[in-house]
Amino acid sequence: NGVWEYAIAPVPRSGEHFPATSDCVHHGEILVPFCVESQLGGVRRFVGSTNYLWYRRAVPQPAAALGARTLLHFGAVDWEAAVYVNSVHCGTHRGGYTPFFFDITDALRGGEATLTVVVRVWDPTSAGTQPRGKQVNTPSGIWYTPTTGIWQTVWLETVPNMRVDSLECVPLVQQDTVELRVGVAAPDGSVAAVSCRAIVSVHDEDLVEGSGTVAPLAGSGELRGTIRIALPSVQLWSPDSPFLYDLRVQLTAASGSVFDSVESYFAMREVAVQRDAHGVPRLMLNGKPIFMFGALDQGYWPDGILTPPSEEAMLYDLELTKRCGMNAVRKHVKVESRRWYAACDRLGLLVWQDMPSGDRFARWDPYGSFFGTEDERTSESMANFRQELRELLKCFSAHPCIVCWVPFNEGWGRSETEETAAWLRAADPTRLVDAASGGNDLASAPGDVADWHVYPGPLLSAPQAEKLEKAAGPDADHGFPKLDPAGRALVLGEYGGLGLPAEGHLWRPTGENWGYRSFETADQLTEQFASMSRTLIDLACARGLCAAIYTQTTDVEVEVNGLVTYDRELEKISPDRIAGVNRELVHCLDPRAGL
């Protein structure tokens, strides 16, 4: 991170080398990790699909022990990033939301004090079919300013030649056991088995340990191993008690000496859909019914766009969610940095994680087309989608806060829904799958939840209910969808969107500002929010509703339907006035509530 050179140059006139000034549309300096469109980056320019965005920086070459490797990490670069070190092409990554790294050891020059990094970025934004979330080339309404290039942290790391390169912690709650799946990298081609030791600790006191062997995986050349550790007096993770176990994993030589060690953490928690005593499908956390209630969190900032201006700013949004009495957050068509998910792990927030949307919209009518259509995406479009979805799971499944994967939102990019839901279930059986949040349902009823979007809601309006009944039969029960016959949990994936434009805190003071329903005072807005929460309690107890997501945490550009303004300076809905009813809501299915 820090100040880099940047250049914007036409695609045809630049290819493998940082362009000459005469070939540039714009050039100057940019502050990484903020994007080129942002105020904090210091540039504030659009790039577009006909240009490359180039970065260049000379940095001190790290000292490395004999046989060590040097890795260059990128938290996220949107969208295609070709990386060069000392004019050597080290690799190209496609995908705007997931972290990646390249081993740059072979590009380093012995005896030199510095190395030069060059990154060439191409990002078509809404001119392409790749996952892009809410980014468009011409922002308006619910579509926002794009992010091009580096937008998360960049750093160098020196590691041993043979090292731990993956660690998956699988909680086996019913067995009071954690299963550790350890992967080892051996770039020199070594496939010899190595010993592995794992130590679980609590509050800096070692609790229990286990050991095993990491051995070559047949037919792959990869080194993989599994260690199971039984835990005494297991403490479960939940929103009210987000208990985390600390973990050290060490690779040891025959002599017993440690040649690589990593630190991590894990939690003991399990999530499922099961029927309660009344036969109603419920979301279960650690074997008990729970109502998951949170906010739609889009993660946009007026000065950093996709990148929060500071750690404190990032934490504010999450802490506001907790202060409002909520226990969940839906990360909407965006992926955050690992630090965001680590904060959710510590705070006890249940995360419903969207896959960023892309490509076109399928025909979508949430009430008139109950069993609707899918889009036919090209093979290239689906390949980009699948690759980034695989990386999403690989990079973030370590976080216990994530309890549900959401591959599609409404009709956007909906294709191969059944296959995608089945793949997610097989790839990660420890979490739920919301196959299509608010989207066209399918007769096969894929996923674990039946997800509706109702604006402003939470009850269907008379026209919405009438349209639904005409399209799918009597599927609405007094203004709300009936229980899913396939046994999926009934959830309200989006509702609310209550708007209040706050003078002095608007993205466009004289332009378009909107919500799904507008209010004139904070008191009116707060009372309506609380009234909706009381309705949700009735729906949970009497109609089988299991979760609800309010739109949204913050205002975003011209959307003024946040709990707080876009600049985070004014809390429009008072947390103190809604926390009580919201806590009643999230606990309304507790056994102690008598339900």
Side-chain angles (χ1 to χ4, degrees), residues 145-453:
T145 302
T147 287
T148 301
I150 298 170
W151 66 275
Q152 287 188 26
T153 290
V154 184
W155 76 101
L156 285 165
E157 180 185 20
T158 300
V159 296
N161 181 56
M162 182 174 285
R163 63 188 182 277
V164 176
D165 77 337
S166 67
L167 176 61
E168 184 180 0
C169 304
V170 181
L172 305 174
V173 172
Q174 301 299 321
Q175 303 172 41
D176 292 344
T177 296
V178 62
E179 181 175 284
L180 308 179
R181 300 171 184 172
V182 183
V184 172
D188 62 359
S190 171
V191 292
V194 295
S195 297
C196 184
R197 178 173 178 243
I199 304 101
V200 177
S201 60
V202 175
H203 305 310
D204 296 324
E205 295 289 335
D206 290 351
L207 179 67
V208 65
E209 67 177 72
S211 61
T213 300
V214 181
L217 191 64
S220 71
E222 298 177 343
L223 292 157
R224 295 289 182 265
T226 298
I227 300 173
R228 284 196 173 193
I229 302 177
L231 302 171
S233 305
V234 168
Q235 299 189 60
L236 300 176
W237 183 97
S238 71
D240 291 334
S241 180
F243 187 86
L244 299 173
Y245 289 89
D246 292 319
L247 177 67
R248 299 194 309 279
V249 175
Q250 301 171 338
L251 300 182
T252 57
S255 63
S257 62
V258 176
F259 61 86
D260 191 31
S261 179
V262 298
E263 295 182 358
S264 188
Y265 62 84
F266 66 91
M268 296 297 289
R269 68 103 183 92
E270 64 177 2
V271 61
V273 174
Q274 297 173 356
R275 294 186 184 273
D276 64 13
H278 305 285
V280 177
R282 294 293 188 186
L283 299 178
M284 298 284 185
L285 181 66
N286 303 327
K288 298 177 181 179
I290 183 173
F291 192 92
M292 299 188 188
F293 178 51
L296 191 81
D297 191 317
Q298 306 210 60
Y300 274 75
W301 305 83
D303 47 6
I305 308 180
L306 290 185
T307 312
S310 66
E311 181 93 351
E312 293 75 19
M314 180 195 76
L315 291 174
Y316 169 81
D317 287 4
L318 299 175
E319 291 167 349
L320 172 64
T321 303
K322 291 287 285 190
R323 285 194 292 120
C324 287
M326 299 176 175
N327 64 1
V329 58
R330 179 181 171 197
K331 179 48 61 177
H332 189 43
V333 294
K334 183 195 174 187
V335 181
E336 294 286 357
S337 73
R338 289 176 171 131
R339 299 186 69 84
W340 187 91
Y341 298 95
C344 292
D345 291 338
R346 294 191 303 269
L347 291 170
L349 282 167
L350 302 159
V351 175
W352 291 50
Q353 177 60 54
D354 288 12
M355 172 65 188
S357 302
D359 212 322
R360 304 172 299 178
F361 281 90
R363 182 173 62 87
W364 176 63
D365 185 340
Y367 314 114
S369 301
F370 186 62
F371 295 119
T373 59
E374 290 192 304
D375 188 20
E376 292 186 9
R377 298 174 71 161
T378 66
S379 58
E380 180 183 9
S381 175
M382 282 305 297
N384 289 332
F385 171 83
R386 292 192 199 101
Q387 175 63 25
E388 198 151 3
L389 182 61
R390 285 193 293 267
E391 291 183 4
L392 175 62
L393 264 67
K394 178 181 178 180
C395 296
F396 296 96
S397 60
H399 292 282
C401 64
I402 300 176
V403 295
C404 185
W405 300 114
V406 187
F408 298 109
N409 180 67
E410 297 176 347
W412 192 0
R414 279 284 306 280
S415 186
E416 301 182 12
T417 307
E418 293 178 56
E419 296 86 344
T420 300
W423 180 84
L424 281 167
R425 273 182 163 171
D428 186 0
T430 70
R431 292 179 170 89
L432 306 175
V433 177
D434 183 353
S437 182
N440 302 326
D441 204 358
L442 298 174
S444 59
D448 298 295
V449 301
D451 184 331
W452 293 78
H453 293 179

Side-chain angles (χ1 to χ4, degrees), residues 72-147:
L72 177 58
H73 292 267
F74 294 84
V77 183
D78 198 354
W79 174 70
E80 179 187 85
V83 178
Y84 303 83
V85 175
N86 296 333
S87 300
V88 176
H89 179 228
C90 295
T92 298
H93 179 266
R94 285 185 165 190
Y97 294 90
T98 49
F100 62 96
F101 70 88
F102 295 118
D103 186 333
I104 65 170
T105 309
D106 295 339
L108 303 182
R109 296 168 180 164
E112 294 197 5
T114 62
L115 60 90
T116 300
V117 179
V118 172
V119 182
R120 186 194 69 203
V121 174
W122 178 70
D123 180 16
T125 310
S126 52
T129 62
Q130 78 291 346
R132 66 179 188 274
K134 291 285 193 79
Q135 304 177 64
V136 294
N137 289 322
T138 307
S140 66
I142 65 169
W143 311 107
Y144 313 138
T145 302
T147 287

